Amino acid sequence: MNAETKKCANCQSEFIIEPDDFSYYQKIGVLPPKMCPPCRAQRRLAFRNERSFYKRPCDKCKKEVVSMYSPNKPDTVWCHDCWFADDWDPKDYGLNYDSEKPFFEQFKKLWEVIPKVSLIHIRNINSEYLNISADSKDCYMIIESSSNENCVHCYWIQVCKDLVDVSFSHQTQLSYESDDCYNCYKLFYSKGCHDSRESYFMLDCKNCSNCIGCVNLRSKQYHIFNQPFSKEEYENFLKSAHLDTHSGVQKLREEFEKFMAMQPRKFAENVNATNSTGNYIKNAKNCRRCFHAYEAEDCAYSVHVWRDAKDCMDCDTSGRQSELIYNSTNTGLVGSNCICCSLCWGNNFLTYCLYCYDSNNCFGSVGLRKQKYCILNKQYEEKEYHELKNKIINDMKAAGEYGDYYPPALSAFGYNEACVQDQFPLTKEEALQQGFKWEDSPRGTFGKETIQWKNIPDSINEINNLDIPKQIFACALCAKNYLIIQREMEFYKQLQIPLPRLCPDCRHERRFKARGPNRLWHRKCECMKLTDDNKLTTNNKYQNTATHSHGENPCPNEFETSYAPDRSEIVYCESCYNSEVL
């Protein structure tokens, strides 16, 4: 089968359906998509609220809880304990399928009446306000994460311990305000580091220790801004930087940002990514246009495919031995053969299902646990189930919609409270015009700040009698109120970290923006200029330190990168980059 160029039904841009894509659609029996990959991702992400939390009463036990559903929404919302209790049966809400009506119209009726859970998390111990998370202990406000211990305000971390404000990291311990770190220990204000420890303000460093302000280093110790120092000189610099103070951290952050701007960047943060394209890929094979993928194989157009995910396409988060997951969000955890599902864990052969767990062979269902052969939450015998399922699929194919994600009107969330706003920002007017919803309810910590930053000492060591966990702070950037809990305060004291003056959302947004978008642009290697003395340089910022394979000629290599053409970073191909850093 040949590749075909299509026009997106949403944005009208052209996109290509590759032969491998057609083979995949044929294998799982869905129609080829009518929208381009970014528009497909936008549709999915509009259904996922990760971090917009509200206070509201549980509609069952009446206890006030923290919920991802605002109190003005018409949905019935139960707290975690009530929703996962055994005293109710989601099948009581079952509907008969009517072949005279569109499937999505019938699914909407079920979705609107069935109780929804305030926050989604399972098998967590002594942990508060977790969402879309599993198998963690002693954690607080961690999102999209599993198998962690004693972590606070983190996003997408796996098998980590003792972290605050860390995202997209794996097997990392005792670290702060860092992103994309693997197998690291005591890293602070760092990004893209592997097998490194006890360092500050690092970018793309591997197997390094006791370094400050370094970029692109390999197997180094006692370096400051990429220059070697003795142990004594390093320790004296660290002491003089006063990183226990807010002013000291800000000063070093500004110096580091200036230094970073003068260093070359690899076109993608990919490590051991055989035959793969995208960004933030590690130990993966045959992954096309994937972002944040590790230990994954044969995946495409996906974000967060991880820990033995295989044959997943158009997915946002699928991992832990997931296989054959299509056009879904947060579906996996030892699951397979799922189509157009959301927040479904441990399932097999599910289609158009939401919030289902440990179930098999279900279609168009919501909230099921340990069930099988259900359609629109109604129970069927096995033979009857397959006959009706095939009829619904044929009806949806006749309507040209089998394989499409749910229409925007079915989302329970406003565009601005779903994580779609991070990747595809829209104004209220733009979102409503495109058929999405919008939410104007205030969210977060309520109450007026009890202490102002001008009255808080610069150094963490000088904060003694302020009883920080009882205070309400105002974010220095957005002015939103927030708290610093006891275990967070103990972390700052232990590691000599000044109190954060930005709220958790602004800190998360800063890390998220530094990662770049989940998009690719075609560009050329910028290692392509010669100085007057015949040395290669680029953008008049960085002078190469080694001879490259292209010699004195401009580098001919081209690539797909998340660095948009109008960005200021110096972007190298892998060959030129390796010549400089290895």
Side-chain angles (χ1 to χ4, degrees):
M1 189 172 292
N2 297 324
E4 289 187 18
T5 299
K6 301 282 188 178
K7 179 175 285 189
C8 177
N10 185 54
C11 71
Q12 305 304 309
S13 65
E14 290 188 345
F15 69 100
I16 298 175
I17 300 181
E18 303 286 353
D20 288 346
D21 300 338
F22 281 117
S23 297
Y24 186 90
Y25 303 142
Q26 187 176 27
K27 178 167 63 175
I28 64 174
V30 300
L31 299 174
K34 298 183 287 292
M35 295 194 299
C36 65
C39 286
R40 301 194 308 254
Q42 182 188 32
R43 176 72 60 87
R44 292 191 301 271
L45 295 177
F47 283 74
R48 189 169 79 189
N49 177 5
E50 299 173 338
R51 302 176 51 82
S52 298
F53 294 164
Y54 309 84
K55 285 185 177 180
R56 65 171 292 163
C58 168
D59 288 322
K60 186 177 182 182
C61 71
K62 308 306 178 183
K63 179 178 66 176
E64 187 174 69
V65 296
V66 171
S67 171
M68 57 181 157
Y69 298 93
S70 58
N72 65 317
K73 286 183 170 61
D75 307 271
T76 299
V77 178
W78 290 357
C79 69
H80 178 273
D81 291 345
C82 286
W83 197 86
F84 278 97
D86 294 328
D87 61 353
W88 74 290
D89 188 352
K91 291 186 293 183
D92 291 342
Y93 297 82
L95 302 175
N96 291 315
Y97 175 70
D98 185 348
S99 60
E100 299 299 318
K101 297 180 180 178
F103 166 77
F104 285 128
E105 179 183 314
Q106 299 175 69
F107 183 85
K108 184 174 183 286
K109 290 183 179 180
L110 173 64
W111 174 234
E112 287 179 340
V113 299
I114 198 164
K116 298 173 176 60
V117 61
S118 56
L119 295 175
I120 289 284
H121 54 89
I122 58 173
R123 300 188 301 269
N124 297 293
I125 300 172
N126 191 33
S127 298
E128 296 179 287
Y129 312 137
L130 276 60
N131 198 25
I132 318 178
S133 297
D135 303 309
S136 292
K137 179 182 178 183
D138 298 325
C139 291
Y140 177 87
M141 288 287 285
I142 66 171
I143 312 296
E144 281 266 37
S145 302
S146 64
S147 309
N148 305 291
E149 184 174 348
N150 198 31
C151 296
V152 176
H153 292 309
C154 292
Y155 180 86
W156 227 106
I157 56 172
Q158 305 289 329
V159 199
C160 293
K161 185 177 181 181
D162 298 316
L163 307 181
V164 174
D165 284 334
V166 173
S167 52
F168 298 101
S169 295
H170 182 254
Q171 291 184 332
T172 291
Q173 296 186 31
L174 215 62
S175 298
Y176 176 67
E177 203 172 313
S178 295
D179 176 86
D180 191 39
C181 294
Y182 291 76
N183 192 32
C184 292
Y185 174 77
K186 276 194 175 183
L187 277 195
F188 307 91
Y189 318 105
S190 298
K191 180 179 180 295
C193 294
H194 298 240
D195 307 303
S196 296
R197 54 207 176 274
E198 299 187 74
S199 298
Y200 300 80
F201 292 104
M202 306 277 280
L203 174 67
D204 195 6
C205 294
K206 296 178 174 58
N207 192 32
C208 292
S209 63
N210 306 104
C211 293
I212 298 174
C214 293
V215 180
N216 302 332
L217 288 192
R218 302 292 184 266
S219 303
K220 303 295 184 184
Q221 186 177 28
Y222 301 125
H223 276 58
I224 302 172
F225 293 108
N226 284 23
Q227 298 300 313
F229 288 83
S230 68
K231 179 181 179 181
E232 182 180 5
E233 289 172 328
Y234 173 86
E235 291 176 345
N236 287 338
F237 179 90
L238 180 58
K239 183 177 179 180
S240 67
H242 299 296
L243 296 182
D244 61 303
T245 68
H246 173 73
S247 59
V249 170
Q250 286 300 101
K251 180 181 178 182
L252 192 54
R253 187 192 300 274
E254 292 170 3
E255 293 176 0
F256 181 58
E257 288 176 352
K258 292 178 182 178
F259 182 72
M260 280 196 302
M262 305 296 291
Q263 308 303 311
R265 304 285 185 93
K266 184 179 170 183
F267 75 99
E269 300 293 334
N270 297 343
V271 178
N272 191 23
T274 304
N275 194 32
S276 298
T277 58
N279 203 7
Y280 301 104
I281 302 176
K282 181 180 181 182
N283 298 337
K285 181 180 179 182
N286 301 329
C287 289
R288 294 180 291 122
R289 303 183 77 86
C290 289
F291 301 86
H292 187 223
Y294 66 95
E295 297 170 10
E297 186 174 344
D298 296 321
C299 297
Y301 314 116
S302 295
V303 180
H304 314 323
V305 280
W306 48 286
R307 289 169 72 178
D308 298 318
K310 295 181 180 179
D311 282 323
C312 298
M313 182 182 286
D314 276 322
C315 288
D316 291 274
T317 302
S318 185
R320 292 175 68 172
Q321 300 168 354
S322 299
E323 188 170 358
L324 279 171
I325 312 295
Y326 175 68
N327 205 12
S328 297
T329 64
N330 298 95
T331 293
L333 298 186
V334 196
S336 67
N337 293 275
C338 295
I339 298 172
C340 298
C341 294
S342 180
L343 285 161
C344 292
W345 300 343
N347 305 282
N348 297 293
F349 297 99
L350 260 59
T351 308
Y352 287 108
C353 290
L354 304 178
Y355 295 60
C356 291
Y357 302 90
D358 303 314
S359 297
N360 300 299
N361 289 287
C362 294
F363 194 106
S365 293
V366 181
L368 299 180
R369 286 169 284 154
K370 298 181 180 180
Q371 300 296 324
K372 59 183 178 179
Y373 307 128
C374 293
I375 295 176
L376 293 172
N377 280 37
K378 183 178 178 180
Q379 184 72 63
Y380 292 89
E381 295 295 328
E382 180 178 0
K383 181 180 179 181
E384 189 180 13
Y385 166 82
H386 285 295
E387 290 175 349
L388 181 55
K389 173 187 173 182
N390 290 335
K391 176 174 176 50
I392 298 174
I393 291 174
N394 289 333
D395 289 346
M396 294 183 73
K397 284 184 175 180
E401 60 188 14
Y402 186 61
D404 292 350
Y405 204 69
Y406 310 92
L410 267 66
S411 175
F413 304 113
Y415 194 93
N416 56 322
E417 60 185 347
C419 62
V420 64
Q421 186 74 317
D422 291 335
Q423 283 290 335
F424 305 94
L426 295 177
T427 65
K428 179 177 181 178
E429 292 72 22
E430 290 170 336
L432 294 176
Q433 186 178 21
Q434 294 181 31
F436 298 104
K437 299 177 181 177
W438 196 265
E439 181 56 61
D440 292 318
S441 296
R443 51 187 181 263
T445 299
F446 296 94
K448 184 175 176 58
E449 62 269 22
T450 59
I451 190 169
Q452 295 184 342
W453 285 112
K454 65 181 181 180
N455 297 323
I456 298 175
D458 195 29
S459 172
I460 186 70
N461 296 319
E462 296 174 5
I463 297 176
N464 297 315
N465 301 316
L466 295 179
D467 204 357
I468 294 300
K470 292 185 179 180
Q471 306 291 348
I472 298 177
F473 298 88
C475 176
L477 184 60
C478 73
K480 184 166 62 180
N481 295 143
Y482 65 102
L483 305 174
I484 295 176
I485 65 170
Q486 182 63 42
R487 72 178 79 171
E488 187 182 358
M489 182 63 187
E490 293 170 356
F491 179 90
Y492 298 144
K493 278 281 192 180
Q494 176 189 356
L495 297 175
Q496 302 289 284
I497 296 170
L499 298 182
R501 301 196 176 194
L502 302 184
C503 69
D505 286 340
C506 286
R507 279 136 49 190
H508 168 80
E509 184 177 357
R510 178 166 62 184
R511 295 192 305 273
F512 194 91
K513 284 185 175 179
R515 294 179 62 82
N518 295 334
R519 301 286 294 275
L520 293 177
W521 288 268
H522 189 83
R523 292 186 61 178
K524 297 179 180 180
C525 179
E526 292 189 313
C527 177
M528 57 195 315
K529 293 184 179 180
L530 291 172
T531 62
D532 293 337
D533 55 355
N534 215 32
K535 292 183 178 178
L536 283 169
T537 186
T538 179
N539 290 342
N540 298 319
K541 291 181 179 180
Y542 176 81
Q543 182 169 299
N544 292 332
T545 62
T547 300
H548 294 194
S549 60
H550 52 80
E552 298 180 354
N553 299 311
C555 179
N557 290 338
E558 300 181 10
F559 42 71
E560 300 290 315
T561 179
S562 290
Y563 291 104
D566 59 351
R567 292 190 53 151
S568 61
E569 290 90 350
I570 309 165
V571 185
Y572 276 22
C573 69
E574 185 162 15
S575 175
C576 291
Y577 175 85
N578 288 341
S579 296
E580 292 300 303
V581 302
L582 296 182

